[in-house]
């Protein structure tokens, strides 16, 4: 796994350097430069941010063993259905060192304006800032389990007697199932201990406690790495939401926020082309605006300061060109908003790789070249 994904390659390369990872990540500038094999882009910032984006995409997928879909995500139920949790069974020395490295990367992001898209369930962020979880937090990543435990305490209201309970729950033991499907006892000997009608309160409390601690080891490793880069005195000042925003950026790329963070370079704000551009952006979905941001900057979240420049030629067949190292988009002088929409949607959905197909100094652009 380690050498097959971008995060693993980064960890491997930084560990080879004589300079410590802590010293590298405490730099206020970029901490490394990136060369994509087979691609011609020079790293003036764009490939660096693209690498961060790819690392986050890998972490939030099955490409790595560090995170899994939360039960709410897997069951399409409850809040935060797009979130992931650390894998409870990822407890080996190698896995914990990878979580620690991720924490160091998160610490470096706190010191800069860069960000990565980590869709982690809120309890993970709460644990990172040192908050103690409560039973209500279980609902944020496994609402079905929380509802089942809550219902067990209210069986009398549903007419369930002790005798009927013994019949309905005769196979129930003091065990619970974690987010990755692992079944674990909630107390010593729990696998053999039946749950009785009078034991329900104890069973529920022990089950909640076990579930709320199921990824504590992994989060502790992330936090340990984070604290090697960021002083504890700084971390305690942050709320969990603030920590998430600093590391991940704003979760939604809104029209007003994107426009406020964009400046007009050689493309006049009063030109028809600029008006077409903002009309197209206004009609985009949040996902499409996120893709537009990635097309222009190599990142999917704000903050990012875009610059719009006019493309010298007037040609409805041209695609827009982005310079991700400098957060710039060259916008052709399209004849209508409809044509601009067609070209931009094609570009942002099909041209996501930073590549000049050769020598980055050659400066030879074809109509199909849409990024650096």
């Amino acid at each position: 796994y380690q050498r097959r994904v971008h995060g693993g390659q980064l960890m491997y390369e930084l560990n080879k350097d004589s300079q410590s990872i802590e010293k590298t990540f405490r730099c206020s500038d970029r901490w490394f430069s990136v060369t994509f094999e087979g691609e011609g882009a020079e790293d003036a910032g764009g490939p660096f941010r693209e690498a961060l984006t790819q690392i986050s995409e890998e972490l939030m997928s099955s490409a790595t063993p560090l995170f899994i879909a939360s039960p709410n995500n897997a069951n399409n139920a409850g809040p935060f259905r797009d979130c992931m949790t650390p894998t409870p069974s990822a407890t080996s020395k190698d896995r914990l060192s990878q979580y620690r490295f991720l924490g160091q990367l998160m610490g470096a992001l706190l010191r800069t304006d860069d960000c990565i898209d980590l869709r982690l369930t809120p309890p993970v962020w709460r644990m990172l800032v040192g908050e103690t979880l409560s039973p209500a937090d279980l609902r944020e990543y496994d609402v079905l389990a929380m509802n089942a435990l809550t219902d067990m305490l209210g069986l009398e209201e549903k007419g369930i007697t002790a005798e009927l309970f013994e019949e309905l729950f005769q196979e129930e033991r003091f065990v619970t199932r974690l987010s990755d499907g692992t079944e674990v006892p909630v107390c010593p000997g729990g696998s053999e201990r039946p749950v009785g009608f009078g034991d329900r309160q104890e069973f529920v409390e022990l089950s909640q406690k076990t579930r709320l601690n199921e990824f504590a080891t992994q989060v502790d490793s992330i936090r340990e790495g984070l604290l090697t880069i960021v002083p504890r005195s700084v971390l305690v000042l942050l709320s969990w939401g603030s920590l998430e925003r600093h590391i991940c950026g704003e979760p939604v790329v809104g029209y007003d926020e994107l426009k406020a963070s964009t400046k007009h370079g050689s493309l006049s704000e009063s030109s028809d082309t600029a008006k077409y551009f903002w009309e197209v952006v206004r009609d985009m979905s949040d996902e499409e605006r996120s893709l537009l941001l990635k097309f222009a900057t190599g990142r999917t979240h704000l903050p990012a300061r875009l610059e719009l420049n006019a493309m010298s030629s007037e040609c409805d067949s041209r695609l827009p060109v982005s310079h991700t190292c400098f957060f710039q988009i060259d916008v052709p002088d399209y004849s209508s908003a409809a044509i601009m929409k067609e070209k931009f949607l094609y570009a942002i959905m099909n041209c996501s790789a930073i590549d000049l197909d050769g020598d980055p100094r050659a400066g030879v652009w074809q109509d199909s070249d849409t990024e650096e």
Side-chain angles (χ1 to χ4, degrees):
Y1 140 74
Q2 184 162 307
R3 298 300 302 278
R4 294 197 305 269
V5 296
H6 293 82
Q9 293 177 42
L10 175 61
M11 180 179 174
Y12 176 81
E13 293 298 328
L14 291 181
N15 274 315
K16 284 198 315 184
D17 201 305
S18 57
Q19 182 176 232
S20 70
I21 290 180
E22 287 85 355
K23 194 170 183 179
T24 299
F25 278 156
R26 288 189 187 123
C27 295
S28 58
D29 202 350
R30 289 187 289 120
W31 329 295
F32 55 86
S33 61
V34 176
T35 301
F36 289 120
E37 185 175 352
E39 299 188 10
E42 284 189 334
D43 191 1
F48 168 78
R49 290 186 296 274
E50 174 69 12
L52 291 179
T53 297
Q54 292 186 10
I55 287 171
S56 65
E57 289 175 350
E58 289 166 351
L59 286 170
M60 298 292 98
S61 73
S62 59
T64 75
L66 301 183
F67 295 94
I68 57 172
S70 72
N72 283 0
N73 184 334
N75 297 318
N76 194 30
F80 306 106
R81 299 184 189 186
D82 63 340
C83 287
M84 312 284 280
T85 68
T87 306
S89 58
T91 56
S92 69
K93 182 179 179 180
D94 284 345
R95 293 291 177 260
L96 295 182
S97 69
Q98 291 156 9
Y99 284 117
R100 187 177 187 276
F101 178 76
L102 173 60
Q104 292 174 314
L105 177 60
M106 293 165 73
L109 293 167
L110 273 176
R111 303 174 71 97
T112 69
D113 290 332
D114 293 297
C115 56
I116 58 177
D117 183 15
L118 296 177
R119 299 184 309 279
L120 302 179
T121 189
V124 174
W125 297 105
R126 291 193 179 100
M127 295 169 74
L128 285 174
V129 297
E131 290 186 19
T132 301
L133 300 186
S134 70
D137 291 309
L138 178 57
R139 188 177 301 277
E140 295 184 337
Y141 61 96
D142 196 345
V143 67
L144 298 182
M146 185 62 182
N147 288 346
L149 292 172
T150 302
D151 288 346
M152 183 172 280
L153 296 179
L155 294 178
E156 292 92 342
E157 299 173 2
K158 298 180 180 180
I160 305 296
T161 63
E163 292 76 16
L164 185 55
F165 178 88
E166 299 299 334
E167 179 182 339
L168 295 175
F169 295 90
Q170 58 180 322
E171 300 298 327
E172 195 73 45
R173 297 294 183 268
F174 272 73
V175 298
T176 190
R177 196 174 298 277
L178 306 183
S179 295
D180 61 359
T182 306
E183 188 175 89
V184 298
V186 299
C187 64
S191 299
E192 307 299 328
R193 180 183 173 185
V195 178
F197 190 75
D199 299 330
R200 288 173 297 147
Q201 185 71 43
E202 181 186 6
F203 171 74
V204 167
E205 291 176 357
L206 289 173
S207 296
Q208 290 173 340
K209 181 180 178 180
T210 301
R211 292 301 309 278
L212 292 172
N213 284 282
E214 66 178 273
F215 40 74
T217 300
Q218 294 76 18
V219 176
D220 285 346
S221 293
I222 298 173
R223 180 178 165 86
E224 179 185 330
L226 181 58
L227 289 173
T228 66
I229 310 300
V230 177
R232 189 181 301 270
S233 58
V234 172
L235 189 59
V236 297
L237 296 176
L238 298 175
S239 67
W240 73 267
S242 178
L243 177 67
E244 181 184 23
R245 285 191 297 274
H246 274 88
I247 292 174
C248 302
E250 293 298 331
V252 175
V253 181
Y255 169 80
D256 292 334
E257 291 79 9
L258 184 60
K259 189 171 185 179
S261 66
T262 300
K263 71 174 182 177
H264 288 261
S266 62
L267 180 64
S268 171
E269 189 171 0
S270 60
S271 67
D272 287 341
T273 302
K275 292 176 182 177
Y276 292 157
F277 176 82
W278 290 114
E279 180 182 334
V280 169
V281 173
R282 185 186 62 238
D283 292 341
M284 285 180 172
S285 66
D286 291 337
E287 181 181 1
E288 289 168 341
R289 280 191 288 269
S290 181
L291 289 173
L292 173 65
L293 194 64
K294 181 180 179 183
F295 171 77
T297 71
R299 63 201 295 178
T300 57
H301 285 55
L302 293 171
R305 190 153 188 82
L306 301 185
E307 179 178 326
L308 300 180
N309 293 314
M311 190 177 285
S312 56
S313 61
E314 177 183 348
C315 182
D316 282 347
S317 65
R318 296 291 302 267
L319 290 173
V321 173
S322 70
H323 306 276
T324 57
C325 292
F326 308 104
F327 292 10
Q328 295 173 343
I329 304 178
D330 295 343
V331 186
D333 186 16
Y334 295 118
S335 60
S336 70
I339 293 176
M340 179 177 287
K341 179 177 181 180
E342 175 191 347
K343 298 300 182 182
F344 263 89
L345 289 179
Y346 180 87
I348 66 177
M349 292 180 180
N350 294 279
C351 308
S352 61
I354 297 176
D355 187 16
L356 275 179
D357 293 327
D359 184 356
R361 293 170 292 276
V364 179
W365 292 92
Q366 302 297 329
D367 285 353
S368 59
D369 290 333
T370 60
E371 290 201 77
E372 283 185 78

